[in-house]
Amino acid sequence: MDLEIDIEEPWDAATDWADLAQAALEALVTLAPELDNERLTTSLLFTSDAEVHVLNREWRAKDKPTNVLSFPMLEREALLDLDEDGPPEMLGDLALACETCTREAAEKGIPVEHHATHLIIHGLLHLAGHDHETSDEDAEAMEALETKSLAVLGIPDPYGDRTAATGI
């Protein structure tokens, strides 16, 4: 999959967010091979809370920022049936909010790079048709994919004891 990445202020220019995003994708495709298709493109916007707030209000009728937004453009069935040959297909768009991501990382006592990686994987799974809000079983399956993908990168389980208790 091709990631089209745009990095805006206030994201720290000293961090290579594009490499971080690419590493997150590469870790995820080891567990979600349907995303390993050269025809797929995803746009990833690293932006401010203010911009995510506008997007969240306009597209989700929620008048506040959030950590990551995902806007899928391909149904899961179409993704699973996508051949290797053919024209490019837009999987969807992701937007990460800097201030929320930074605050949440500080609250968790983890590096912002680890939290951003988790949010990218989380968003990509949403674009691939996974949803943690449909049922507890779906949430556990999605969290397991996130945790295993992060482990590939040496990033600790972001869910801690909660997922350990579920046996995932």
Side-chain angles (χ1 to χ4, degrees), residues 120-160:
I120 292 165
I121 289 170
H122 182 86
L124 287 168
L125 286 169
H126 272 301
L127 294 183
H130 295 273
D131 192 348
H132 55 87
E133 296 178 352
T134 52
S135 71
D136 288 344
E137 182 179 276
D138 289 342
E140 290 174 7
M142 188 169 171
E143 289 174 7
L145 287 170
E146 293 169 11
T147 301
K148 290 175 184 176
S149 296
L150 291 168
V152 169
L153 298 168
I155 297 175
D157 179 355
Y159 298 105

Side-chain angles (χ1 to χ4, degrees), residues 43-47 52 55 66-71 93-97:
S43 72
L44 173 54
L45 175 63
F46 289 85
T47 193
V52 169
L55 292 169
T66 188
N67 52 22
V68 62
L69 287 174
S70 58
F71 301 98
D93 299 318
L94 296 176
L96 267 71

Side-chain angles (χ1 to χ4, degrees), residues 26-111:
E26 290 171 11
L28 179 58
V29 299
T30 64
L31 299 163
E34 66 272 20
L35 296 175
D36 191 14
N37 189 319
E38 291 182 14
R39 292 180 57 196
L40 293 172
T41 299
T42 294
S43 72
L44 173 54
L45 175 63
F46 289 85
T47 193
S48 66
D49 274 22
E51 181 65 25
V52 169
H53 186 160
V54 169
L55 292 169
N56 206 19
R57 183 178 55 235
E58 181 177 341
W59 295 100
R60 298 179 64 224
K62 295 187 179 191
D63 195 18
K64 62 181 181 176
T66 188
N67 52 22
V68 62
L69 287 174
S70 58
F71 301 98
M73 295 180 195
L74 197 61
E75 295 290 328
R76 178 140 179 92
E77 296 77 26
L79 173 62
L80 295 175
D81 292 338
L82 191 65
D83 290 329
E84 296 271 335
D85 297 321
E89 289 281 349
M90 189 70 176
L91 182 62
D93 299 318
L94 296 176
L96 267 71
C98 183
E99 297 91 339
T100 297
C101 184
T102 301
R103 179 180 39 71
E104 290 174 348
E107 289 169 359
K108 295 172 183 274
I110 62 173

Side-chain angles (χ1 to χ4, degrees), residues 105-116:
E107 289 169 359
K108 295 172 183 274
I110 62 173
V112 67
E113 294 84 359
H114 286 189
H115 192 49

